Amino acid sequence: MLSPRWKKLWRDLSAARGRMVMMVIAIAVSIFGVGTILSAYTILMREISRNYLGTSPASAFIELNQVDDALVQAVRQQPGIADAEATSRVMGRVEVKPNEWMPMLLFVIPDFNAMRLSTFTSESGDWPPPEQTILLERAALPLTNVAVGDALTVQTPNGTKQSIRISGLAHDPGLAPAWQEQTIYAYITPATLAWLGEGSTLHILKVSVKEQNPSVGAIESTVSRLSAWLTGQGYAVGEIRIPPPGLHPHQSQMNSILMTLLVFSLMALVLSAILTATMIGGLLAQQVRQIGIMKAIGARSSQVTGMYLALVAVLGLAAVALGIPAGNAAKRVPAASTPGSENYAGWIIPCCWRFATPSAAQDACS
Amino acid sequence: MIRQIQAHFHGSDEVLPVRESRLIELNSVTKAYTIGSGQFLALKGIDMRVDVGEFVAVVGKSGSGKSTLINMITGIDSPTSGEVLVASTPVHALNQEQLAVWRGKNVGIVFQFFQLLPTLTVAENIVLPMDFCNMYLARERRQRAIALLEKVGIAEQADKLPADLSGGQQQRAAIARALANDPPLLVADEPTGNLDSQTSDAVMQLFSNLAAEGKTVVMVTHERDLSRFFTRSILLADGLIVNGQAVSHA
C-alpha cells in the first residue's frame, strides 16, 4: 500500500494532470526530435561513407580528347597509379512531361560487367542494358513519371530527339539522389551513345592512386605526373577533377544539414527543459505552504526533496517512454524503405536540401 | 513520567539530569528581524519556564511576539541569542534536519487554519507524521489514526477529505494529527481563532483533557474568555513577558 506522502504526490499530479500531460508531451517531442536526428545522423554518416567507399571511388577524372583500351592499359603501368578505366559523360535532356525537359547526365560504360572504379550495381531489369536502351539511377525514376519498360524522349547535344526504352534501374551510391540535384542520371553503352547521335569515343580517364588514404596533395602530385606523361604521348589533357578523397560528393552538405537539424532539436530540448522548470517551479510555488506544513509535522528536507524529485523523475520517465520509441520508430522508417543508401536521408531533409543546393537557390530566386 | 519524556526526546533510555517537572526553559531569548528601517526586536530577552502537564496560554496584542515565541519553542525559527531547552534538548543548537526529526517526534503543532493537506483524507493526514518520522509499524498506523480520531470524536470522518469537514471537525483532525507520534508537547497557534464559540469551547476542552492526561500544552490566543481552561497565562507586550501568573480558577 502506498504511504500517504506518495498518495499526496499522486493526487497532486492527478489534480494538475492537464499541465503535467502538456509538460510530458513537450519533453517527449524534444526527445523524439533529438533521438531521431541523432539516430539518422549516426546511420547516415556510417552508411554514406561505407556505401561510397564500397564503390571503389576513383581518385581523379582526367578529360582527354580520346581514351582507348591501349591507353588504359598503359596508364595502369604508370608510377603511383593503381588502376584506370575509360568512361564518358554526356549532358543531355529528357522530356519528363509534354514540352517539359529536365537535364540528363548520361554515363557511358564500355563494359558493365568489368567496372572496377566508381562502380554501381543493378537494382532491377537488364544488366548490362541492351543497345538502344537505358538504365536509370533508381532515385531518378520518380522524376521521369514513367516506369521501367516505358520509353523516354531523350536528346543529346549533337543528336535528335530519340525515344529510348528504360531497360532497368541501377543503384549508384556515389551520386547524390536525383531529386536533390534535379538531374536524371542514366547509364548507357558506347553503342547506344552513338545511336543517340554522339560519337562512340570515350573521353574520360578514371584513375586511382596506389597510396592508401591519400591526401588531395598526394593525388595531385601523382596525377600531375600522369598528366605530363599523357601530354608527352600526344593526348590533349583537358579538365582534371579530384574529388575529396574518401568523401561522398555531398558529405559536407549532408553534415551541415544534419548538424543544423541537430542544433534545432537540441534547442527544442532546451526549450522544453525551460518549460518544465517553469511549470515545476509554479507547482512548487503552489506547494510552499504544504511543504512548510510537512516540515512542521516532521518531514526532513531530504524527504520533501525526494518527493518532488520523484515527481520530476516520473514525468521525465513518461516523456522518455514516449519519445525514445517514437524516435526509434521514425529512424527505422527510411531504413526499411531504402536500406544502405544516401537516399535514405530523403525523408528527413528534402525541404532543407532544396534551400541548401545552388540549383534550388536558383529555383527559389527565379 | 519525566524519565519517559526524556527517553522519548533522546530516542534512548539514557536520562539526562534535569529538574523533575521542567519541560520548557527559555533563557535570555532574543529574536531580531532585519526590516527596511533597520532591526526589529520581536523578542527582548525572554526567560520562561513551563512544567510538565501545564496548559499555558501565551496572550498579548498583535505584534507582541506571541507567534515568534512559540516558533522558538517548536524550532520553526531560531533565536538570535539565548537558549531554548525542551526537556533539556538544546533546540537552538539543532540544525534543520535534526529539528525536523526532533519536532516530528516531540512536538505536535496545531495551526489556526488547521492546515490539513487537502488531497489526503483525514486518516491519511494523521498517518503522515508517523510516515515521515518512521514511527509505529506501517500496518498499525491507520489503526492508530482511527483511535486518535475516536479520541477527538470524529472517527466517522476518517475517510473524508478535509474540505468535506466543518471547521471544528478540521481542527479536531488537526489535533489528532498533532498527537500522531504521541509527543509530550502540544503547541497551538490560535487554534480557536477560526471557530465559533461553541466549537471553541469543545476544542479547548479537548486540549484541557490532554493536559490532564499529562501532555504539556502551550497555546497562543487572543481570547480572554477561554482563561478558565488554562493553568497559567503569560502576557507578552513588545517582546517582553510582563506577567506570567498562574490563573486563579476560584
Side-chain angles (χ1 to χ4, degrees):
Chain A
M1 197 177 83
L2 275 179
S3 69
R5 77 178 93 158
W6 301 119
K7 283 182 185 169
K8 169 188 157 41
L9 203 63
W10 177 249
R11 288 173 195 163
D12 289 344
L13 200 65
S14 303
R17 77 172 72 83
R19 276 181 297 168
M20 297 299 159
V21 166
M22 200 166 78
M23 198 160 30
V24 167
I25 290 172
I27 303 169
V29 166
S30 59
I31 290 173
F32 166 77
V34 172
T36 305
I37 297 297
L38 275 177
S39 302
Y41 185 90
T42 306
I43 293 172
L44 283 171
M45 290 304 104
R46 186 185 66 211
E47 294 301 317
I48 288 173
S49 179
R50 188 163 66 190
N51 289 330
Y52 179 63
L53 293 177
T55 67
S56 304
S59 305
F61 297 86
I62 304 168
E63 193 179 335
L64 299 170
N65 52 332
Q66 63 167 343
V67 180
D68 53 28
D69 286 345
L71 175 64
V72 169
Q73 292 297 334
V75 167
R76 284 177 184 155
Q77 308 307 316
Q78 292 305 303
I81 300 298
D83 207 346
E85 250 180 33
T87 186
S88 251
R89 290 181 184 185
V90 176
M91 183 58 86
R93 63 176 188 163
V94 58
E95 192 172 26
V96 292
K97 286 179 185 170
N99 296 319
E100 189 177 320
W101 297 79
M102 280 187 75
M104 171 180 257
L105 186 56
L106 291 161
F107 294 91
V108 185
I109 309 297
D111 187 348
F112 280 78
N113 291 317
M115 287 188 291
R116 292 191 296 196
L117 293 177
S118 299
T119 61
F120 54 92
T121 55
S122 171
E123 179 81 4
S124 64
D126 293 330
W127 182 272
E131 258 187 60
Q132 300 179 13
T133 70
I134 199 168
L135 288 183
L136 285 187
E137 210 289 323
R138 66 180 189 183
L141 187 66
L143 301 181
T144 60
N145 303 310
V146 294
V148 173
D150 294 344
L152 283 172
T153 302
V154 170
Q155 188 176 22
T156 55
N158 300 310
T160 56
K161 292 178 188 174
Q162 292 278 18
S163 180
I164 188 165
R165 187 174 66 86
I166 303 169
S167 56
L169 297 177
H171 173 212
D172 191 343
L175 295 174
W179 55 263
Q180 290 177 356
E181 299 290 313
Q182 291 294 294
T183 299
I184 311 292
Y185 302 121
Y187 307 88
I188 54 174
T189 60
T192 303
L193 181 67
W195 174 72
L196 285 171
E198 304 293 324
S200 60
T201 309
L202 302 177
H203 294 279
I204 294 175
L205 183 66
K206 296 187 281 189
V207 295
S208 64
V209 298
K210 282 182 176 170
E211 192 177 335
Q212 296 292 315
N213 303 317
S215 64
V216 173
I219 296 171
E220 271 179 359
S221 170
T222 305
V223 171
S224 292
R225 283 199 304 274
L226 178 63
S227 174
W229 179 83
L230 288 166
T231 304
Q233 296 296 309
Y235 291 95
V237 178
E239 182 190 54
I240 298 175
R241 193 162 59 84
I242 300 175
L247 287 179
H248 187 277
H250 292 83
Q251 184 94 45
S252 59
Q253 286 158 289
M254 195 77 79
N255 286 353
S256 304
I257 289 168
L258 284 170
M259 194 54 74
T260 305
L261 290 175
L262 186 61
V263 167
F264 277 118
S265 57
L266 284 173
M267 282 168 65
L269 187 65
V270 169
L271 284 175
S272 73
I274 292 170
L275 172 72
T276 305
T278 306
M279 293 180 86
I280 293 288
L283 180 74
L284 286 179
Q286 290 175 346
Q287 298 263 322
V288 164
R289 179 177 288 273
Q290 294 188 29
I291 291 169
I293 295 163
M294 287 190 283
K295 293 192 80 173
I297 62 174
R300 280 170 281 147
S301 298
S302 54
Q303 289 173 319
V304 176
T305 306
M307 286 171 67
Y308 290 98
L309 281 180
L311 172 75
V312 174
V314 165
L315 295 175
L317 286 174
V320 166
L322 284 175
I324 297 256
N328 212 32
K331 175 196 78 179
R332 288 175 190 283
V333 167
S337 58
T338 52
S341 164
E342 75 291 348
N343 297 337
Y344 173 56
W347 67 282
I348 203 167
I349 54 173
C351 296
C352 298
W353 193 277
R354 284 196 63 78
F355 290 95
T357 54
S359 59
Q362 285 168 5
D363 289 349
C365 296
S366 61
Chain B
M1 178 70 195
I2 286 293
R3 295 178 70 82
Q4 286 175 345
I5 291 168
Q6 285 186 340
H8 194 92
F9 273 84
H10 294 285
S12 73
D13 291 333
E14 183 189 353
V15 178
L16 297 177
V18 291
R19 282 179 57 181
E20 279 297 306
S21 59
R22 180 77 28 91
L23 186 68
I24 301 170
E25 184 172 340
L26 273 66
N27 298 319
S28 306
V29 170
T30 65
K31 181 63 186 179
Y33 294 107
T34 303
I35 55 174
S37 55
Q39 276 212 328
F40 169 71
L41 271 179
L43 298 177
K44 301 171 181 172
I46 297 286
D47 291 302
M48 179 180 142
R49 316 278 180 267
V50 177
D51 290 338
V52 172
E54 278 198 280
F55 187 1
V56 176
V58 179
V59 295
K61 293 178 182 173
S62 289
S64 61
K66 304 185 299 292
S67 294
T68 307
L69 178 64
I70 62 164
N71 285 346
M72 299 295 132
I73 296 169
T74 55
I76 287 174
D77 206 347
S78 56
T80 305
S81 65
E83 289 182 329
V84 179
L85 303 168
V86 179
S88 72
T89 298
V91 178
H92 59 278
L94 301 180
N95 63 31
Q96 285 299 315
E97 286 296 282
Q98 291 169 325
L99 273 172
V101 176
W102 171 82
R103 192 188 302 121
K105 292 181 177 176
N106 299 296
V107 186
I109 303 176
V110 181
F111 301 94
Q112 179 179 357
F113 293 102
F114 329 128
Q115 308 295 8
L116 298 166
L117 298 187
T119 53
L120 293 180
T121 65
V122 170
E124 287 164 350
N125 264 284
I126 295 163
V127 170
L128 193 59
M130 305 181 215
D131 178 32
F132 281 135
C133 297
N134 200 24
M135 295 283 280
Y136 309 102
L137 294 174
R139 62 176 179 274
E140 293 173 358
R141 288 174 186 162
R142 180 176 163 82
Q143 200 179 343
R144 174 167 172 77
I146 300 296
L148 289 169
L149 286 171
E150 278 171 2
K151 187 182 182 82
V152 299
I154 54 165
E156 71 283 2
Q157 313 293 342
D159 295 319
K160 291 182 181 172
L161 291 174
D164 298 330
L165 272 58
S166 68
Q169 288 172 324
Q170 286 191 57
Q171 196 58 295
R172 286 167 185 268
I175 294 168
R177 181 180 65 183
L179 294 168
N181 290 332
D182 195 23
L185 175 62
L186 290 179
V187 176
D189 191 355
E190 302 201 35
T192 58
N194 207 36
L195 304 176
D196 61 66
S197 59
Q198 199 174 354
T199 311
S200 291
D201 281 353
V203 167
M204 289 304 294
Q205 190 57 56
L206 197 52
F207 278 116
S208 187
N209 294 343
L210 290 168
E213 290 171 16
K215 301 287 184 196
T216 303
V217 183
V218 178
M219 180 183 294
V220 167
T221 184
H222 271 113
E223 298 172 59
R224 291 182 180 279
D225 57 349
L226 300 177
S227 60
R228 66 184 184 281
F229 292 102
F230 304 121
T231 55
R232 185 155 62 102
S233 282
I234 294 173
L235 177 61
L236 277 178
D238 297 328
L240 290 168
I241 293 178
V242 294
N243 184 13
Q245 299 300 314
V247 176
S248 168
H249 294 297

